[in-house]
Amino acid sequence: IGALRWHFLLQSLDDLQKNLCQLGSCLLVIQGEYESVLRDHIQKWNITQVTLDAEMEPFYKEMEANIRHLGEELGFEVLSLLGHSLYDTKRILDLNSGTPPLTYKRFLHILSLLGDPEVPVRNLSAEDFQRCRPRDPGLAECYRVPLPVDLKIPPESPSPWRGGETEGLQRLEQHLTDQGWVASFTKPRTIPNSLLPSTTGLSPYFSMGCLSVRTFFYRLSNIYAQAKHHSLPPVSLQGQLLWREFFYTVASATPNFTKMAGNPICLQISWYEDAERLHKWKTAQTGFPWIDAIMTQLRQEGWIHHLARHAVACFLTRGDLWISWEEGMKVFEELLLDADYSINAGNWMWLSASAFFHQYTRIFCPVRFGKRTDPEGQYIRKYLPILKNFPSKYIYEPWTASEEEQKQAGCIIG
Ligand code: FAD
């Protein structure tokens, strides 16, 4: 993972540590390979129970199985809880058995049979927190939250996104105060090139476990219950959360979900291999200002709007460069704050018309797409300041300006 996400993780741990301290408890961060960490600490600290988030990603499934074996060997109980998703994907898949592949419509139908997701498990009491305080105060210093220097990453993050539950809850509250906005939210009408996010911007907080998706789900349900009308899935806010669940469900049932080869839902396409073009796309040097501005925002901030993701994903794959979605997915995995095994791969397959959606001729134009919502090109001027003096009529295609106009704008197009 890239430095931005490391920073986001450290900030999130720091915030968790501060919040636990206020409750009379504290957080001990142990670094290392999980098996040896457990072997070293189980007896030393007399640990009787290990809890973890249930996950559908193969790496974590394997980790859970290994920890269970270790529990049998060393004599501790393992409690794996569903926290990262709204539903247990196994239950959805059981109800779908016999009729794969799962479509979003059918998925919603199955959810209607299951009813609302379970509410969060339970709240801990003040005594619970106080009991979770190590008797030796020296431990807290020994097992402190690592600093960027410990991880050999730059000391400061250039990203405006700050990790942690406190920040995540603030963002949540800010959005939920505008109940009209929440009730009428229609994803395709949100703007990919606004200077501040036009959607909730909560994905990094869900992804890092700072914010509970169930809290969000139920807060939305309460607002919908009070509204005369509200938008519906797939375009509503709750619909967005359900897309997340949809990709988790399909990923948990699909072998090799993050690959083309050996992936039963993915079209097998002979993509080009072109390291130079891939590098130019990744480093914001394609020459298309709209595409390069988005990739610059991604590199500097770690978050881009969903439709901006559409634009650059289509450009890399079926739209222009004909390079495999797997390459794009890897770049997103490194650079996104919200990088997620299932959602990332699922959306890349969608955008490249490899799975779920196959109208591969429905292409986003790298010039006109951005122009629709930002004709003056403010977004491009912000992220590609080299172009900031171009007149608006050229900002999306500066190569059409005359040499004289390019000179006046202080940037000659090569
Ligand atoms: P909002 O519109 O406010 O939605 C609220 C929440 O719903 C999001 O925080 C997110 O958890 C969920 N959500 C929204 N859209 C989707 C979607 N299409 N699929 C699944 N869940 C969704 N999202 C990730 O969280 N991690 C990824 O790695 C990721 N990779 C993507 C790759 C590509 C090529 C594309 C096209 C999309 C990807 N997305 C990914 C989905 C989506 O773009 C982001 O979740 C969304 O833009 C986050 O912004 P938000 O929190 O403001 O979303």
Side-chain angles (χ1 to χ4, degrees):
I1 72 173
L4 296 184
R5 193 163 156 88
W6 270 121
H7 274 288
F8 196 86
L9 171 62
L10 296 185
Q11 291 159 0
S12 303
L13 290 176
D14 207 41
D15 183 60
L16 178 59
Q17 152 71 352
K18 286 189 181 122
N19 291 344
L20 286 174
C21 247
Q22 277 177 7
L23 291 161
S25 182
C26 88
L27 175 75
L28 304 180
V29 180
I30 313 177
Q31 293 183 66
E33 195 274 321
Y34 66 88
E35 193 170 331
S36 55
V37 162
L38 284 172
R39 283 190 186 281
D40 286 352
H41 291 80
I42 292 294
Q43 277 187 342
K44 194 158 77 180
W45 289 354
N46 190 23
I47 291 169
T48 54
Q49 189 187 66
V50 171
T51 64
L52 44 96
D53 259 1
E55 296 275 359
M56 50 293 293
E57 187 173 337
F59 174 85
Y60 292 109
K61 275 190 184 160
E62 192 186 321
M63 178 173 96
E64 183 176 332
N66 290 341
I67 293 179
R68 286 192 184 281
H69 283 139
L70 216 59
E72 281 163 23
E73 184 192 326
L74 303 177
F76 60 82
E77 182 197 1
V78 179
L79 197 59
S80 151
L81 296 169
L82 201 69
H84 195 58
S85 58
L86 292 168
Y87 292 92
D88 181 352
T89 55
K90 282 194 224 84
R91 291 189 63 200
I92 301 172
L93 290 168
D94 285 347
L95 286 172
N96 190 50
S97 65
T99 52
L102 190 61
T103 59
Y104 184 73
K105 204 168 152 199
R106 174 146 178 83
F107 172 77
L108 291 184
H109 170 69
I110 295 176
L111 293 193
S112 70
L113 303 177
L114 283 174
D116 280 349
E118 278 175 43
V119 286
V121 188
R122 73 180 168 112
N123 286 324
L124 297 176
S125 67
E127 291 78 54
D128 286 328
F129 279 110
Q130 267 144 31
R131 242 183 310 138
C132 299
R133 189 179 187 86
R135 268 170 232 121
D136 172 4
L139 278 184
E141 182 43 37
C142 199
Y143 294 100
R144 63 171 168 73
V145 175
L147 299 169
V149 62
D150 302 327
L151 301 174
K152 301 187 176 56
I153 55 172
E156 299 293 336
S157 168
S159 172
W161 298 80
R162 217 185 145 71
E165 182 186 30
T166 309
E167 178 82 23
L169 283 172
Q170 266 168 19
R171 277 180 186 265
L172 179 78
E173 294 307 335
Q174 243 170 28
H175 285 294
L176 296 187
T177 44
D178 192 347
Q179 302 202 349
W181 181 80
V182 170
S184 60
F185 182 93
T186 307
K187 185 66 166 264
R189 282 204 228 125
T190 60
I191 296 174
N193 37 15
S194 54
L195 297 185
L196 291 173
S198 60
T199 49
T200 64
L202 293 176
S203 53
Y205 301 91
F206 294 136
S207 157
M208 199 59 91
C210 302
L211 207 61
S212 153
V213 277
R214 293 188 208 175
T215 300
F216 187 44
F217 183 92
Y218 278 102
R219 294 290 297 272
L220 291 175
S221 295
N222 291 343
I223 293 176
Y224 292 163
Q226 288 167 22
K228 266 201 190 137
H229 304 285
H230 64 83
S231 51
L232 292 169
V235 296
S236 62
L237 264 180
Q238 230 169 31
Q240 303 313 301
L241 272 190
L242 300 182
W243 277 116
R244 187 173 178 273
E245 295 291 306
F246 173 74
F247 287 119
Y248 284 156
T249 309
V250 182
S252 68
T254 310
N256 300 308
F257 190 70
T258 55
K259 297 188 175 73
M260 179 177 81
N263 178 341
I265 66 164
C266 182
L267 278 189
Q268 304 296 303
I269 296 172
S270 14
W271 300 106
Y272 297 155
E273 278 183 30
D274 190 329
E276 190 189 338
R277 287 186 172 186
L278 174 62
H279 181 74
K280 286 191 171 166
W281 174 82
K282 178 180 175 179
T283 52
Q285 298 179 58
T286 66
F288 286 94
W290 164 235
I291 300 298
D292 292 343
I294 297 171
M295 292 307 285
T296 305
Q297 184 186 14
L298 174 63
R299 299 182 72 78
Q300 289 175 356
E301 303 183 0
W303 185 92
I304 47 177
H305 185 278
H306 183 59
L307 296 176
R309 298 180 199 211
H310 276 218
V312 293
C314 180
F315 186 89
L316 181 75
T317 58
R318 69 194 153 95
D320 296 84
L321 301 184
W322 203 257
I323 290 176
S324 167
W325 61 270
E326 284 181 55
E327 299 300 335
M329 177 196 71
K330 286 182 214 155
V331 171
F332 271 27
E333 193 175 323
E334 178 193 337
L335 298 176
L336 276 176
L337 294 177
D338 61 30
D340 180 286
Y341 172 91
S342 313
I343 311 178
N344 196 16
N347 274 286
W348 271 100
M349 278 189 266
W350 189 298
L351 261 297
S352 60
S354 296
F356 310 109
F357 160 94
H358 296 294
Q359 287 166 284
Y360 69 91
T361 48
R362 248 178 65 191
I363 305 287
F364 302 109
C365 171
V367 170
R368 272 172 315 188
F369 187 6
K371 237 187 218 177
R372 277 198 316 236
T373 44
D374 179 21
E376 302 297 316
Q378 298 302 352
Y379 176 81
I380 292 175
R381 292 176 209 279
K382 174 175 175 185
Y383 289 103
L384 300 179
I386 186 123
L387 297 178
K388 72 175 190 298
N389 295 326
F390 268 88
S392 299
K393 64 176 172 176
Y394 299 126
I395 190 86
Y396 284 88
E397 31 190 353
W399 56 87
T400 58
S402 67
E403 210 178 314
E404 194 46 43
E405 285 163 319
Q406 293 183 24
K407 274 190 198 144
Q408 270 171 19
C411 173
I412 306 297
I413 305 300

